[in-house]
Amino acid sequence: MRAIYPGSFDPVTLGHLDIIERAAKTFDELVIGILNNNSKSPLFSVQERVNMLEEVTSYIPNVKIVCFSGLLVDFAAKLEAGIIVRGLRAVSDFEYEFQMSQTNRIMNKEIDTVFYNTSLEYAYVSSSMVKEVAMHGGDISGFVPALVVERVYDKYRKDLSEK
Ligand code: PNS
């Protein structure tokens, strides 16, 4: 069975990677769907996010990276993916995830959402926190894959030099 793991991945964190590794074991094929979300003014372009995800998942053979815009259920249907994968970190994630999965199910009842509990060591990692820590020069090496660390710092160094 093919599953899709959608998200902004701005940038990919160790929490995301944990979910990717585990979901890739459960499903025959895992498609990582990166939302092309200009309205969220992301730190990384969609191509930069595709590249980072391809590099950090290169050791997992059944993972494929694609980007999408529009509705997730339409994209999942086009890919013939019957499962949407999402990670749940804390209770605070639940309300948003519950609303999203219910809405998606009403729009397409053939597509189900499966939740993975984030491993405890990553329960508090989020892309937005990583960006905030990096912006202030903090150490993000415990939160994102090694090759992502420098790319995040580069963005803020570039920002500073442009000011
Ligand atoms: O990593 P994120 O930003 O929490 O992921 C959110 C994502 C991409 C899963 C969600 O915003 C999404 O599916 N967007 C596509 C538009 C859509 O289908 N919206 C209706 C879902 S309720």
Side-chain angles (χ1 to χ4, degrees):
M1 178 174 265
R2 182 178 296 143
I4 176 162
Y5 180 34
S8 304
F9 303 103
D10 185 43
V12 56
T13 66
L14 290 174
H16 293 131
L17 197 54
D18 170 56
I19 304 288
I20 294 168
E21 283 180 355
R22 289 157 60 201
K25 285 186 194 147
T26 314
F27 301 103
D28 302 315
E29 196 187 340
L30 183 70
V31 177
I32 300 178
I34 305 178
L35 181 66
N36 198 348
N37 51 346
N38 288 332
S39 61
K40 274 194 179 178
S41 53
L43 181 64
F44 290 96
S45 72
V46 80
Q47 191 54 52
E48 287 171 323
R49 286 178 273 156
V50 168
N51 294 346
M52 278 190 283
L53 271 152
E54 278 177 350
E55 289 173 62
V56 301
T57 61
S58 59
Y59 63 99
I60 317 173
N62 59 334
V63 166
K64 202 172 135 185
I65 322 295
V66 285
C67 61
F68 76 101
S69 48
L71 285 179
L72 172 60
V73 282
D74 293 345
F75 181 61
K78 200 173 107 193
L79 287 178
E80 296 179 352
I83 297 286
I84 294 168
V85 167
R86 292 286 289 173
L88 273 183
R89 287 166 299 190
V91 182
S92 50
D93 279 344
F94 182 78
E95 210 161 328
Y96 169 61
E97 294 298 334
F98 184 70
Q99 188 180 25
M100 210 159 57
S101 65
Q102 293 292 358
T103 308
N104 285 335
R105 207 172 138 63
I106 290 166
M107 290 192 287
N108 188 333
K109 65 175 172 27
E110 303 301 320
I111 302 171
D112 258 314
T113 302
V114 167
F115 295 106
Y116 283 75
N117 274 331
T118 304
S119 298
L120 274 181
E121 62 264 46
Y122 307 125
Y124 295 98
V125 178
S126 71
S127 299
S128 44
M129 191 208 63
V130 165
K131 286 181 274 194
E132 181 147 348
V133 173
M135 194 195 305
H136 298 289
D139 180 9
I140 56 168
S141 58
F143 309 129
V144 295
L147 71 88
V148 175
V149 174
E150 274 312 304
R151 289 185 208 187
V152 176
Y153 288 139
D154 277 351
K155 286 279 174 190
Y156 291 112
R157 271 199 287 268
K158 198 164 160 277
D159 264 17
L160 285 173
S161 63
E162 277 167 5
K163 275 179 190 150

